[in-house]
Amino acid sequence: MSASGERASEVAEEPTASGAAAERDQLEHVIRAHSTYVARLAYRVLGRDDEVNDLVQDVFIAYLRFHRTIREPEAVKGWLATTVIRMAHKRLRARRFRLKIWLGLEAEERRHDLPAPGLSSDDRAAFMSLHRALDRVPPKARIAWALRYLEQEQLEDVARLCGCSLATTKRRIKLAHGVVQRALAP
Amino acid sequence: MNDQELEAKLVQARRVEPAIALARPQQILWGVRGRLLEQRKKRVFVLSLAAAAAVIGLGVAGARSLVRGGDGVTVSVPSPPRDDTEHWTLRDGSRVVIETASTVIKKRSETKAALELELETGAARFEVTSRPERAFRVHGGDVTVTVTGTSFRVERSGARVSVAVSEGSVLVTWPGGTQTLRRGASGTFPPPGERSEAASVAALPSSKSLAPSEPAPERIASAEALFAEADAARAAGRHGEALAKLELLSQRYPRDPRAPLAAFTRGRLLLENLGKPAQAARAFALSRSLTGPTSALSEDALAREVDALRAAGNKALSRERAELYTRLYPAGLRLRQVRAAGGLPAEP
């Protein structure tokens, strides 16, 4: 504070909420640019609607907290994808320990929102059957397989998103693929 | 299952996307803001408990000291630990703590005699350093809170302002009257039954050096404030109120950069929450007209317009809009759904 107290302005910071407004604008911009991708990725990895909403919000809340660590704008999408994978892995791990699943008592997936228009029941049935098969696969292998076969990522990108080596990625995908084929066999 | 059969199933599964609301950016933004607000409230609650526990602990220690004939050392209650709640520290040591995600505060004016802030929406707590020669005023619409050296909280909701004083005293004025609130007191102003009119600012009787009050200009909520209030109403499930705020924004600020998004959001409210697809279609069309066809918002608005027209039973116009979408956005994110909703044949 000025000793003389005669300066016209004694406000340390311009109290116009500019910092908060700028962060809100940035968050909104990132959500608009990437929410569809994040939601689709989360859905393809988790296989259920009821968890996707929470996961997507978790990812963007994490972005708000850590966005200053992302050096380049081009890296945002990759950062979001890695975060989706990490958070989805935690959820899948927790899901596997739920007794209901072990006993086969997991309730039919609840529909929280309208299905995407034009979605055929056959398509949805195919998606659900794949994920029921994937429920038998360890989470890391499940994620790798979903990224490779549903999201159609290149192997190198799957390895990068999962944070493991190419060899480990291939091993996990092979494990999951075998389980899925056996589970879906007539 | 062989690889060919599995691949056929994968082709089907890849067509499946999240349900509509999940991928809607505005819905996600509201959800994120709501969660952040809940986190802040929990932190405040936990800190309050910690502070209360500290006070109780010190009280017990003080009582024991008295019983033992202690040395009379003065103990002050420690401040709660700083958290990551947004706050500003002014040069004179005063603090403004932002309490809600929708809070918008702007500086109205600053002189040697007075610092005047405008709380456009949301809630904030003010911890004002004692300076008898300078007034600290917080305006909330027609209500003004004037302080010298105190801690108080102000929350604005439309034309109503709630004030709670935790230290010192404040003078609250509104067109119909004034009231002094002292420590521990709170109130909502203007009081129920009184209408808001142009406000007048009153100086505290003991502060002779305060500058005379100026007539307040007519206060109209800014576009930013209207949008934030609509967000908050929507997050709280008050869809009608959110719609009204967005309509007001569109009427008052047709050229504001937020106008296209406001129209789009109105469309979503009308379609998804209020069951008025025909009005929703018009809102989406307005949104498109306010922004260029190359924007992501415009593409989204056109896709939603197709859905809304179909829901309203206007198949011909829905098809026409779907054809427009396929021409403008041949690789659009929602191309497949738009073709299906508009009754167009599936892509070869």
Side-chain angles (χ1 to χ4, degrees):
Chain A
M1 188 173 170
S2 158
S4 66
E6 289 179 356
R7 281 192 301 180
S9 171
E10 295 185 30
V11 177
E13 296 169 0
E14 183 65 31
T16 55
S18 58
E23 270 207 342
R24 282 200 297 271
D25 287 346
Q26 187 177 3
L27 176 66
E28 187 171 334
H29 170 75
V30 168
I31 287 177
R32 290 196 186 284
H34 301 293
S35 62
T36 302
Y37 168 70
V38 168
R40 190 186 69 232
L41 183 62
Y43 189 49
R44 283 179 170 172
V45 169
L46 292 175
R48 286 162 51 157
D49 264 340
D50 56 350
E51 292 185 349
V52 172
N53 207 21
D54 280 348
L55 177 56
V56 169
Q57 290 177 18
D58 285 343
V59 168
F60 286 111
I61 287 174
Y63 170 79
L64 194 61
R65 214 173 144 200
F66 296 107
H67 66 93
R68 290 186 189 88
T69 65
I70 306 171
R71 296 187 186 280
E72 292 158 21
E74 299 78 29
V76 170
K77 187 176 177 183
W79 188 93
L80 292 171
T82 308
T83 305
V84 168
I85 299 308
R86 183 167 43 82
M87 290 185 171
H89 177 247
K90 282 185 186 169
R91 285 178 179 267
L92 288 169
R93 253 192 350 188
R95 204 196 280 178
R96 273 170 73 85
F97 285 109
R98 268 185 242 146
L99 189 60
K100 285 183 200 174
I101 292 179
W102 287 356
L103 296 179
L105 297 176
E106 188 72 12
E108 184 66 29
E109 175 195 335
R110 285 185 296 134
R111 298 287 186 89
H112 288 269
D113 306 297
L114 293 173
L119 182 64
S120 83
S121 55
D122 286 347
D123 291 349
R124 188 160 179 84
F127 183 86
M128 297 306 299
S129 68
L130 280 171
H131 275 281
R132 269 196 293 275
L134 286 170
D135 279 341
R136 307 177 192 199
V137 177
K140 287 183 179 177
R142 173 186 186 144
I143 290 171
W145 190 93
L147 288 171
R148 180 75 180 123
Y149 286 102
L150 286 174
E151 194 63 14
Q152 296 184 284
E153 292 281 2
Q154 298 297 315
L155 281 171
E156 294 77 10
D157 292 326
V158 174
R160 178 179 51 80
L161 288 168
C162 293
C164 59
S165 68
L166 192 57
T168 302
T169 299
K170 287 179 182 175
R171 192 173 61 246
R172 288 176 183 168
I173 291 173
K174 187 178 175 185
L175 167 72
H177 201 70
V179 171
V180 169
Q181 280 184 308
R182 284 192 296 276
L184 294 178
Chain B
M1 176 175 281
N2 62 38
D3 285 346
Q4 216 170 356
E5 289 166 335
L6 182 55
E7 181 58 29
K9 204 173 263 293
L10 282 166
V11 167
Q12 287 180 299
R14 287 182 199 126
R15 286 199 282 262
V16 178
E17 292 189 6
I20 290 182
L22 290 176
R24 293 302 101 186
Q26 188 63 46
Q27 196 95 2
I28 293 167
L29 186 60
W30 285 326
V32 168
R33 285 185 183 170
R35 293 263 300 268
L36 290 172
L37 182 57
E38 280 172 24
Q39 285 174 6
R40 280 183 185 159
K41 283 182 180 173
K42 281 182 189 168
R43 276 199 292 270
V44 169
F45 177 70
V46 168
L47 290 172
S48 300
L49 282 180
V55 169
I56 291 169
L58 287 165
V60 168
R64 284 181 181 165
S65 167
L66 283 174
V67 168
R68 289 197 224 110
D71 57 7
V73 173
T74 302
V75 178
S76 60
V77 177
S79 302
R82 295 280 286 268
D83 62 357
D84 58 353
T85 307
E86 184 182 354
H87 63 272
W88 306 317
T89 301
L90 308 185
R91 200 160 294 173
D92 65 355
S94 300
R95 272 180 98 219
V96 180
V97 181
I98 307 301
E99 290 200 350
T100 65
S102 63
T103 299
V104 177
I105 298 179
K106 293 189 176 166
K107 185 169 71 173
R108 250 184 154 196
S109 68
E110 185 180 8
T111 64
K112 286 187 197 175
L115 172 62
E116 313 217 14
L117 306 178
E118 176 80 37
L119 176 64
E120 294 201 351
T121 183
R125 194 170 70 249
F126 301 86
E127 297 163 10
V128 180
T129 305
S130 178
R131 289 184 66 185
E133 74 282 6
R134 194 189 199 204
F136 187 107
R137 298 193 186 105
V138 179
H139 300 274
D142 291 335
V143 179
T144 300
V145 183
T146 306
V147 301
T148 52
T150 187
S151 175
F152 64 101
R153 181 180 183 275
V154 182
E155 180 173 0
R156 180 176 174 183
S157 178
R160 294 276 182 208
V161 175
S162 300
V163 183
V165 180
S166 47
E167 288 294 334
S169 65
V170 305
L171 177 70
V172 184
T173 62
W174 65 96
T178 65
Q179 184 173 338
T180 299
L181 293 179
R182 302 197 187 281
R183 177 183 175 179
S186 62
T188 301
F189 306 93
E194 290 197 32
R195 281 182 49 195
S196 291
E197 294 172 8
S200 62
V201 176
L204 286 172
S206 59
S207 304
K208 295 179 183 175
S209 60
L210 290 178
S213 62
E214 297 171 357
E218 183 189 350
R219 279 188 212 42
I220 297 177
S222 66
E224 183 180 8
L226 283 171
F227 206 84
E229 286 171 15
D231 273 1
R234 174 61 184 83
R238 302 193 301 271
H239 303 133
E241 182 184 331
L243 184 70
K245 298 282 182 193
L246 292 168
E247 283 173 344
L248 200 55
L249 193 160
S250 293
Q251 287 163 15
R252 283 187 181 164
Y253 307 102
R255 291 185 184 78
D256 188 273
R258 293 170 192 79
L261 182 57
F264 179 85
T265 309
R266 270 198 299 127
R268 294 198 54 222
L269 280 168
L270 287 161
L271 181 63
E272 294 172 16
N273 303 109
L274 298 171
K276 297 179 178 177
Q279 291 182 37
R282 286 195 288 276
F284 289 128
L286 173 64
S287 178
R288 281 195 301 118
S289 71
L290 295 173
T291 184
T294 56
S295 75
L297 185 65
S298 187
E299 178 187 342
D300 209 355
L302 182 54
R304 299 297 291 169
E305 192 179 342
V306 172
D307 290 341
L309 287 166
R310 182 190 65 157
N314 195 334
K315 290 183 183 175
L317 202 50
S318 175
R319 185 184 179 96
E320 190 182 307
R321 292 292 184 266
E323 286 168 348
L324 177 63
Y325 185 98
T326 60
R327 284 200 303 275
L328 290 176
Y329 313 108
L333 284 173
R334 295 198 60 195
L335 182 63
R336 189 180 57 81
Q337 290 93 336
V338 165
R339 293 185 76 92
L344 298 178
E347 285 182 291

